[in-house]
Amino acid sequence: MSTLAHPTVTAARQAESISASELDRFPYADRPTPPAPRWEGAENDLARVGRKTTSSRGRGLHGQLVQQLGQMIVSGDLGADRPLVPEEIGQRFEVSRTVVRESLRVLEAKGLVSARPNVGTRVRPVSDWNLLDPDIIEWRAFGPQRDEQRRELFELRWAIEPLAARLAAGHGREDVQHRLVELTEIMGQAGNQGDLVSYSRADAELHGLVLQMAGNRMLEHLSGIVAGALQVSGGSGTTCERPSESAVSLHARLVDALGTGDGTAAEAAVRALLTVHPDIEHAVPAPREH
């Protein structure tokens, strides 16, 4: 029986020269191409949030195979302990053994598969996945587990961002504080124009910078993950309140508190931002049965 038999699987390659943009597709997700963002942020050191990732985007056939297999694993199409036969993968997707081998190594680094002598390569259970990996966050956000991913991201933010804001107050460099002010202005303008793409990008960068300013290297490590996840996940429970005057005002209040060193006010502003979620039944995380 084929280990990759699935009705939605298509060949990942029509020709060696196929472009990365054509390959960059999610077979099971409805993802219309967003309009070109009107983004005013410069690509500088302050804007580079979460660059140190294991993302496989834009790497041709190798990246596409990682995307295809990763999506299938995360969506449950390839369940735990399912064997993955390299020869069969190569035939199915019409790629070389080298591409298959490199792709499986990437998936192994993400905790999705394991390769053992005399056992072969098998899909690992969810408990072994690196759930903070940007690719896995993205695959979950646009797959069957989208609601669970968004809830978990929101709960992660609720746990770390108020503390980060308290720690960051008064500790940012002048250029960082200037960038935060600039981001609130971008959010205000984007909100007025209905530009949700620019709004969400500014929102993501702002919250990532707050985590970076906290002076805690572990929180700083999470900044790129949170900021990146905010952009790919979208929707309820991930971004702050939908673009509105009150949302922009709360972000401005947060930035002011950071600039004046008022940790209590900064923490309160973040909690206020994370509390209003129209599409979430319980905005504040509460105990639940497991």
Side-chain angles (χ1 to χ4, degrees), residues 29-237:
D30 181 15
R31 297 185 61 196
T33 303
R38 295 191 294 271
W39 181 239
E40 304 299 333
E43 184 64 21
N44 52 36
D45 290 338
L46 298 179
R48 292 184 186 126
V49 182
R51 292 299 189 227
K52 296 180 180 180
T53 69
T54 57
S55 176
S56 57
R57 287 297 179 111
R59 297 184 183 179
L61 294 174
H62 164 250
Q64 169 63 4
L65 185 57
V66 170
Q67 291 283 321
Q68 289 276 3
L69 294 177
Q71 291 164 14
M72 293 172 69
I73 293 171
V74 169
S75 69
D77 294 336
L78 295 175
D81 207 35
R82 186 76 172 269
L84 299 177
V85 182
E87 292 78 9
E88 183 180 342
I89 295 174
Q91 294 175 1
R92 173 74 63 176
F93 293 98
E94 300 180 6
V95 294
S96 68
R97 285 180 293 180
T98 299
V99 171
V100 174
R101 183 168 58 251
E102 293 177 352
S103 299
L104 291 177
R105 285 177 179 172
V106 173
L107 295 175
E108 186 173 15
K110 298 176 184 294
L112 294 178
V113 304
S114 62
R116 299 179 182 177
N118 303 321
V119 175
T121 302
R122 291 182 175 271
V123 176
R124 300 172 70 173
V126 178
S127 58
D128 292 341
W129 298 356
N130 177 9
L131 295 178
L132 295 181
D133 181 278
D135 278 337
I136 294 180
I137 290 174
E138 182 171 352
W139 296 334
R140 294 183 75 207
F142 291 106
Q145 300 175 348
R146 59 175 63 88
D147 291 337
E148 182 178 2
Q149 172 65 86
R150 290 168 178 172
R151 174 185 57 79
E152 290 175 352
L153 175 59
F154 170 70
E155 291 175 351
L156 174 66
R157 295 185 63 198
W158 182 269
I160 66 175
E161 287 198 61
L163 171 62
R166 175 180 285 273
L167 295 175
H171 296 293
R173 304 191 312 266
E174 183 177 350
D175 56 344
V176 177
Q177 185 65 27
H178 176 76
R179 179 59 177 168
L180 291 172
V181 173
E182 186 178 47
L183 288 169
T184 60
E185 294 174 351
I186 293 172
M187 292 174 68
Q189 182 179 4
N192 291 334
Q193 297 175 348
D195 183 357
L196 300 182
V197 175
S198 293
Y199 184 96
S200 65
R201 290 188 64 182
D203 183 31
E205 184 181 338
L206 188 150
H207 287 271
L209 285 175
V210 173
L211 287 167
Q212 291 179 355
M213 292 166 56
N216 182 306
R217 291 184 178 178
M218 297 186 72
L219 289 176
E220 182 178 354
H221 178 73
L222 292 175
S223 66
I225 295 170
V226 171
L230 281 169
Q231 293 190 52
V232 302
S233 296
S236 61

